[in-house]
Amino acid sequence: MALQDQVAVVTGAVQGIGRAMAEILLRNGAKVALLDVNEAAGKSLKEVLDKQHGPERTLFLSCDVESEEQIRANQMPPSCSIDPSSLQRFSDATGGSQQACSAAFQRTAGALGAVDIVCNNAGVLNEAEWEKTISVNLVAVVRVTYIALEHMNKMSGGRGGVIINTASMAGLFPLLSCPVYTATKYGVVGFTRAMAANSTALGFGIRFNALCPGFVQTDILDNIYERLGQFSQLSAETQVFVDKGVLKTSEVAEGLLELLTNDTKNGEALQVMCSSQKYMKFPVFT
Ligand code: NAD
């Protein structure tokens, strides 16, 4: 299989695009750490995936990507071995998710093996709570990437790998009524491309790529108009874009697989569009 026994971390993994990413990774032989703030959905998804792929193939970690501690905690070398059952006991003893997720990358390495793939996918759309939108969509992508680098960078003992950031078509064209969401996704595309160039220049051994889907049928889309804040009067105009077509989450996951398995892809902002426009590369970035 294309990703046999590679270890992936997916943020925002328990529903929507992140869930489809986890599923395609597992179908292609990878082991997956599912990071998400939604603990109830995470536990149910883990049960479903255990039946399909076996319990040893996934790990659910209740983790807020806005929290440095919940991702990082005590630094250990990537080769450090951790007994997952002892961590679970620690989690139970300290009373829950805050402590349990304090070492997401270390826990993944201990339970599944050293991390090869990171999918920075967690995201929100809320123009009213615009600072949170920046925090989750952009600041956390930088945070998780820098923590991942400490584990994966070949220059500091890691074994390299691939980091894929979920941007959006709103990272390539302004999305009407969503200026802050647009800013975060432009930021993700820019960060991805700059990190790809840095990786080549400094020998990280890590490829960096961004996924830029059009509208996808997920909860973000279901509730979008409630979260446009002062721009909600433009909801009808936004609907015009939605009417052009909505992707299935599985179609975005196919784009992920392409970026993971094609070794020539670095610094790519891959458009995932409906029907005939699928997987077009945006000409500005060629
Ligand atoms: P979704 O709401 O279905 O899923 C988002 C997931 O992220 C949820 O499981 C949520 O619990 C998790 N999450 C939110 N904040 C978090 C945090 N602080 N820490 C950890 N997990 C957190 O939405 P989706 O559409 O699947 O979105 C996934 C990504 O795709 C986002 O980055 C989004 O911006 C992007 N995107 C979505 C669309 C679309 O139309 N749905 C289009 C382009 C890009």
Side-chain angles (χ1 to χ4, degrees):
M1 282 191 273
L3 303 172
Q4 190 61 45
D5 289 334
Q6 294 200 25
V7 175
V9 170
V10 180
T11 70
V14 307
Q15 65 177 48
I17 293 169
R19 177 174 176 157
M21 288 177 161
E23 288 169 345
I24 204 165
L25 286 162
L26 288 162
R27 282 201 305 278
N28 281 275
K31 295 181 272 183
V32 183
L34 311 152
L35 274 56
D36 206 292
V37 279
N38 189 339
E39 197 163 351
K43 285 179 177 165
S44 344
L45 176 59
K46 168 87 176 123
E47 281 174 21
V48 171
L49 296 176
D50 283 356
K51 287 189 190 121
Q52 292 169 351
H53 302 278
E56 72 289 352
R57 307 301 294 179
T58 59
L59 175 70
F60 170 67
L61 296 172
S62 174
C63 177
D64 185 344
V65 294
E66 290 184 273
S67 164
E68 179 97 6
E69 301 75 46
Q70 291 188 23
I71 303 160
R72 179 195 293 277
N74 308 315
Q75 287 302 308
M76 297 180 214
S79 58
C80 184
S81 171
I82 300 173
D83 170 10
S85 64
S86 72
L87 282 160
Q88 188 54 53
R89 285 195 300 277
F90 174 69
S91 158
D92 294 343
T94 51
S97 61
Q98 181 80 9
Q99 292 296 332
C101 69
S102 66
F105 273 76
Q106 288 86 354
R107 292 192 69 190
T108 300
L112 303 179
V115 175
D116 303 290
I117 295 166
V118 174
C119 300
N120 276 311
N121 170 74
V124 295
L125 191 164
N126 195 322
E127 293 296 318
E129 294 180 17
W130 59 269
E131 286 163 306
K132 184 173 180 72
T133 297
I134 295 171
S135 174
V136 176
N137 292 10
L138 182 55
V139 178
V141 169
V142 177
R143 174 182 298 116
V144 174
T145 298
Y146 285 171
I147 293 171
L149 262 185
E150 294 167 15
H151 291 256
M152 296 167 69
N153 186 351
K154 281 190 174 171
M155 301 308 288
S156 51
R159 59 186 197 194
V162 192
I163 297 182
I164 307 291
N165 299 324
T166 307
S168 166
M169 286 299 289
L172 305 172
F173 308 102
L175 177 57
L176 194 67
S177 69
C178 300
V180 172
Y181 184 81
T182 296
T184 64
K185 296 303 185 180
Y186 267 73
V188 169
V189 170
F191 178 68
T192 305
R193 291 173 62 80
M195 287 303 294
N198 284 328
S199 181
T200 302
L202 297 174
F204 295 167
I206 300 171
R207 293 187 291 111
F208 290 83
N209 293 297
L211 272 169
C212 296
F215 286 108
V216 189
Q217 192 57 63
T218 70
D219 280 7
I220 274 190
L221 204 56
D222 285 347
N223 307 317
I224 187 170
Y225 303 117
E226 296 162 20
R227 289 178 271 112
L228 297 181
Q230 62 186 305
F231 304 102
S232 57
Q233 65 209 17
L234 293 171
S235 61
E237 286 83 347
T238 306
Q239 184 66 39
V240 171
F241 291 102
V242 177
D243 291 343
K244 287 186 192 299
V246 173
L247 291 157
K248 294 182 199 151
T249 55
S250 58
E251 295 177 276
V252 183
E254 290 293 339
L256 170 71
L257 193 61
E258 160 68 9
L259 291 175
L260 288 175
T261 54
N262 186 334
D263 289 344
T264 68
K265 303 283 186 193
N266 190 36
E268 181 111 357
L270 184 69
Q271 285 192 27
V272 185
M273 301 280 285
C274 293
S275 59
S276 61
Q277 293 179 309
K278 230 170 22 168
Y279 309 140
M280 270 172 46
K281 198 169 168 188
F282 185 51
V284 165
F285 295 122
T286 58

